[in-house]
Amino acid sequence: MHESPITGNGDVVKARQAVRVLAQEARLSLVDQTKLVTAASELARNTLSYGGGGTMRASIVTRGTSTGVKVVFSDQGPGIPDLDLALTDGWSSGRGMGLGLSGARRLADEFTLDSAPGKGTTVSVLKWAR
Amino acid sequence: MSERVPILKIGDVLLVSIQIDLEDQMVMDLQEDLSQRIVDTGARGVVIDISALEIVDSFVGRMLASIAAISRVLGAETVVVGMRPAVAMTLVELGLSLGGVRTALNLEQGIGELRRSRRNGSVPR
Ligand SMILES: Nc1ncnc2c1ncn2[C@@H]1O[C@H](COP(=O)(O)OP(=O)(O)OP(=O)(O)O)[C@@H](O)[C@H]1O
Ligand SMILES: [Mg+2]
């Protein structure tokens, strides 16, 4: 289990590197490593810029004979009022391209988003080795 | 002050070779530095080598697109070279098409691409 704070710009880079190390350890293919690290990068930046900072927890998981890497981002920020809207390609409340959440969902094998106004946000992505 | 990405001038082409995993601030600084260098040098082409980049996320993708757009307005054509196959596959799935950005497999082809568009006069000044 790797846990790190996402409170500054440099932490987004560190988060990418930590996820890369775990993805290699779990023997994800190069393409799957790249997809997971990219998804993590998007979510880390959201945690920072919308969640006001938070935490990343990344770990290797097993289910049956499968091995994968799960990365969870959580923050105590304002939360997301409309999850469907936030997951719409191209929708951004700021000046983004609105691809972070929807793209991370596509890049991951499993994706969860738990958020409500005033409750903060928890997003997870999981990628299996195949 | 944060580290900055070096910009090399070769003839009338500016070459940016991104060698490390960039923090967002460095990405924004690069955009600014490059715009200024185009104006200062009158460069007609920009080549951005991303062969060392292990990922391109939406932030870097947007930077590449806006560098291409800004440099075009300033009279220079941009070519992004060296994108790794895994990065390309990931970008497409992420939803970033990089529509307005010209790409080439490597530096040599990128420079060739700039020469060709110059001959065809696609960036009038
Ligand atoms: N951790 C978070 N806390 C609060 N709101 C969030 C969080 N993550 C995402 N959002 C909201 O969801 C919207 C969509 O996020 P998404 O990452 O898809 O796009 P973006 O960050 O605006 O742009 P991009 O990621 O393409 O640069 C954001 O604009 C923001 O309003
Ligand atoms: Mg985002």
Side-chain angles (χ1 to χ4, degrees), chain A residues 22-30 33 60 67 69 128-130:
Chain A
L22 284 178
Q24 282 167 347
E25 226 175 283
R27 300 192 166 277
L28 265 65
S29 72
L30 181 60
Q33 287 176 32
I60 293 184
T67 306
V69 177
W128 296 110
R130 54 197 107 232

Side-chain angles (χ1 to χ4, degrees), chain A residues 35-73:
Chain A
K35 289 181 178 179
L36 184 67
V37 174
T38 305
S41 182
E42 295 297 335
L43 300 180
R45 188 173 296 103
N46 282 354
T47 298
L48 193 60
S49 44
Y50 301 109
T55 314
M56 177 184 86
R57 290 184 190 82
S59 52
I60 293 184
V61 293
T62 54
R63 191 185 296 161
T65 56
S66 313
T67 306
V69 177
K70 183 175 185 179
V71 192
V72 184
F73 292 87

Side-chain angles (χ1 to χ4, degrees), chain A residues 9-10 13 16-17 20 31 34-35 37-38 41-42 45 95-97 99 103 106-107, chain B residues 21-25 54-59 61-62 86-87 89-90 93-96:
Chain A
N9 245 321
V13 174
R16 290 199 285 256
Q17 287 163 353
R20 168 78 62 181
V31 173
T34 307
K35 289 181 178 179
V37 174
T38 305
S41 182
E42 295 297 335
R45 188 173 296 103
R95 286 183 305 161
M97 290 191 296
L99 289 177
R106 274 191 295 274
L107 291 169
Chain B
D21 192 355
L22 299 182
E23 279 185 27
D24 291 358
Q25 186 58 47
E54 291 181 336
I55 71 150
V56 171
D57 62 8
S58 66
F59 194 84
R62 184 168 59 207
V87 170
M89 292 168 74
T90 301
E93 199 163 338
L94 183 64
L96 260 181

Side-chain angles (χ1 to χ4, degrees), chain B residues 64-86:
Chain B
L64 294 174
S66 67
I67 283 179
I70 292 166
S71 60
R72 192 166 299 136
V73 173
L74 296 174
E77 196 63 28
T78 299
V79 182
V80 172
V81 305
M83 186 182 295
R84 299 181 180 193

